[in-house]
Amino acid sequence: MDISAALGGSFSLPPSDVLPLSLATSARPIVGTNFTFRTSNIAPGTVLGATMLSFVQINPGIDLGFLGAPGCAQYLTPDVTQVFLATGATSTVPFAIPNFASYAGLRLLAQSAAFTPGFNALGVWTSNGMDLLIGTL
Protein backbone atom coordinates (compact mmCIF):
# COMPACT_ATOMS: atom_id res chain seq x y z
CA MET A 1 0.00 0.00 0.00
CA ASP A 2 1.33 3.45 -0.92
CA ILE A 3 0.72 5.49 2.24
CA SER A 4 1.33 8.83 0.50
CA ALA A 5 -1.35 8.03 -2.12
CA ALA A 6 -3.82 6.79 0.53
CA LEU A 7 -3.50 9.99 2.56
CA GLY A 8 -4.27 12.18 -0.45
CA GLY A 9 -1.98 14.98 0.73
CA SER A 10 1.59 15.62 1.58
CA PHE A 11 3.39 13.06 3.63
CA SER A 12 6.59 13.64 5.59
CA LEU A 13 8.40 11.94 8.41
CA PRO A 14 9.09 13.69 11.69
CA PRO A 15 12.79 14.24 12.49
CA SER A 16 12.77 11.29 14.91
CA ASP A 17 12.14 8.96 11.94
CA VAL A 18 15.00 10.33 9.83
CA LEU A 19 18.29 8.45 9.66
CA PRO A 20 21.00 10.21 11.70
CA LEU A 21 23.55 12.35 9.93
CA SER A 22 26.61 10.18 9.36
CA LEU A 23 30.28 10.99 8.73
CA ALA A 24 32.77 8.49 7.25
CA THR A 25 35.98 8.55 5.23
CA SER A 26 36.67 7.05 1.81
CA ALA A 27 40.02 5.61 2.91
CA ARG A 28 42.40 5.41 5.83
CA PRO A 29 44.31 8.62 6.62
CA ILE A 30 47.87 7.89 5.46
CA VAL A 31 50.75 10.32 5.09
CA GLY A 32 51.05 11.53 1.48
CA THR A 33 47.55 10.47 0.39
CA ASN A 34 44.20 12.05 -0.38
CA PHE A 35 40.81 10.90 0.86
CA THR A 36 37.34 12.36 1.31
CA PHE A 37 35.06 12.93 4.25
CA ARG A 38 31.59 11.68 3.28
CA THR A 39 28.56 13.12 5.06
CA SER A 40 25.46 11.03 4.36
CA ASN A 41 21.78 10.86 5.32
CA ILE A 42 21.46 14.59 4.64
CA ALA A 43 17.75 15.45 4.93
CA PRO A 44 15.83 17.09 2.10
CA GLY A 45 15.65 20.85 2.64
CA THR A 46 19.19 21.08 3.96
CA VAL A 47 20.82 24.24 2.70
CA LEU A 48 24.42 23.94 3.86
CA GLY A 49 26.63 21.48 5.61
CA ALA A 50 29.99 21.73 7.30
CA THR A 51 32.79 19.33 8.05
CA MET A 52 34.74 20.43 11.11
CA LEU A 53 38.27 19.32 11.98
CA SER A 54 40.15 19.64 15.23
CA PHE A 55 42.94 18.34 17.42
CA VAL A 56 40.85 18.88 20.59
CA GLN A 57 38.22 16.33 21.61
CA ILE A 58 35.23 17.10 23.81
CA ASN A 59 34.46 13.90 25.67
CA PRO A 60 31.69 12.85 26.29
CA GLY A 61 30.43 15.71 24.10
CA ILE A 62 28.30 18.77 24.71
CA ASP A 63 24.56 18.10 24.47
CA LEU A 64 23.17 20.81 22.17
CA GLY A 65 19.61 20.44 23.46
CA PHE A 66 19.90 23.68 25.42
CA LEU A 67 20.44 25.52 22.11
CA GLY A 68 17.40 23.93 20.48
CA ALA A 69 19.04 20.84 18.95
CA PRO A 70 17.91 17.92 21.14
CA GLY A 71 19.74 14.66 20.49
CA CYS A 72 22.72 16.46 18.93
CA ALA A 73 26.18 16.72 20.47
CA GLN A 74 29.42 18.58 19.80
CA TYR A 75 32.43 16.27 20.05
CA LEU A 76 35.25 18.68 19.12
CA THR A 77 36.30 22.30 19.01
CA PRO A 78 35.77 23.39 15.39
CA ASP A 79 39.31 24.60 14.64
CA VAL A 80 38.94 24.25 10.85
CA THR A 81 35.56 24.23 9.13
CA GLN A 82 34.86 23.51 5.49
CA VAL A 83 31.35 24.51 4.42
CA PHE A 84 29.62 22.70 1.54
CA LEU A 85 26.37 23.12 -0.39
CA ALA A 86 24.01 20.26 0.31
CA THR A 87 22.95 19.15 -3.16
CA GLY A 88 21.71 15.68 -2.25
CA ALA A 89 21.63 13.03 0.45
CA THR A 90 25.44 12.70 0.44
CA SER A 91 28.22 15.29 0.19
CA THR A 92 31.97 14.85 0.14
CA VAL A 93 34.82 17.08 1.26
CA PRO A 94 38.33 16.30 -0.06
CA PHE A 95 41.27 16.16 2.33
CA ALA A 96 44.98 15.82 1.55
CA ILE A 97 47.66 14.76 4.01
CA PRO A 98 51.07 16.16 3.03
CA ASN A 99 53.94 13.74 2.59
CA PHE A 100 55.74 14.67 5.80
CA ALA A 101 56.81 11.82 8.08
CA SER A 102 56.25 14.07 11.10
CA TYR A 103 52.47 13.78 10.53
CA ALA A 104 52.55 10.04 11.30
CA GLY A 105 50.85 9.37 14.62
CA LEU A 106 48.97 12.68 14.60
CA ARG A 107 45.37 12.47 15.86
CA LEU A 108 42.74 14.32 13.84
CA LEU A 109 39.11 14.63 14.94
CA ALA A 110 36.20 15.27 12.58
CA GLN A 111 32.44 15.90 12.76
CA SER A 112 29.81 17.17 10.33
CA ALA A 113 26.78 19.38 10.81
CA ALA A 114 23.83 20.08 8.53
CA PHE A 115 21.84 23.31 8.48
CA THR A 116 18.24 22.23 7.88
CA PRO A 117 15.58 24.90 8.58
CA GLY A 118 12.73 23.45 10.64
CA PHE A 119 14.55 20.24 11.57
CA ASN A 120 14.66 21.46 15.17
CA ALA A 121 14.46 24.85 16.89
CA LEU A 122 18.12 25.60 16.05
CA GLY A 123 17.90 24.28 12.50
CA VAL A 124 21.14 22.32 12.92
CA TRP A 125 21.89 18.64 13.44
CA THR A 126 25.22 16.92 13.96
CA SER A 127 26.88 13.69 12.90
CA ASN A 128 28.91 11.16 14.78
CA GLY A 129 32.44 12.18 15.71
CA MET A 130 35.50 10.55 14.14
CA ASP A 131 38.90 10.01 15.73
CA LEU A 132 41.49 9.52 12.98
CA LEU A 133 45.08 8.45 13.54
CA ILE A 134 47.33 9.39 10.62
CA GLY A 135 49.49 6.44 9.66
CA THR A 136 52.21 5.40 7.22
CA LEU A 137 50.88 2.06 5.93
Side-chain angles (χ1 to χ4, degrees):
M1 175 179 190
D2 183 353
I3 296 173
S4 62
L7 292 176
S10 65
F11 178 76
S12 64
L13 297 174
S16 62
D17 288 341
V18 175
L19 292 172
L21 194 64
S22 178
L23 179 64
T25 59
S26 63
R28 292 179 35 220
I30 298 174
V31 171
T33 64
N34 299 321
F35 65 93
T36 59
F37 286 103
R38 184 179 60 251
T39 303
S40 56
N41 301 330
I42 299 172
T46 299
V47 185
L48 294 172
T51 300
M52 301 162 287
L53 305 173
S54 181
F55 297 113
V56 180
Q57 181 180 17
I58 299 173
N59 191 0
I62 298 171
D63 181 0
L64 300 178
F66 75 99
L67 291 174
C72 294
Q74 178 180 346
Y75 296 112
L76 52 80
T77 61
D79 299 327
V80 175
T81 302
Q82 186 164 359
V83 176
F84 56 85
L85 290 174
T87 57
T90 301
S91 289
T92 58
V93 173
F95 190 78
I97 302 172
N99 195 15
F100 296 124
S102 59
Y103 288 153
L106 187 66
R107 224 175 129 204
L108 181 66
L109 303 160
Q111 185 174 13
S112 284
F115 303 94
T116 310
F119 186 80
N120 54 33
L122 185 61
V124 173
W125 52 315
T126 59
S127 74
N128 54 295
M130 293 190 73
D131 189 345
L132 306 166
L133 181 64
I134 298 175
T136 57
L137 297 175

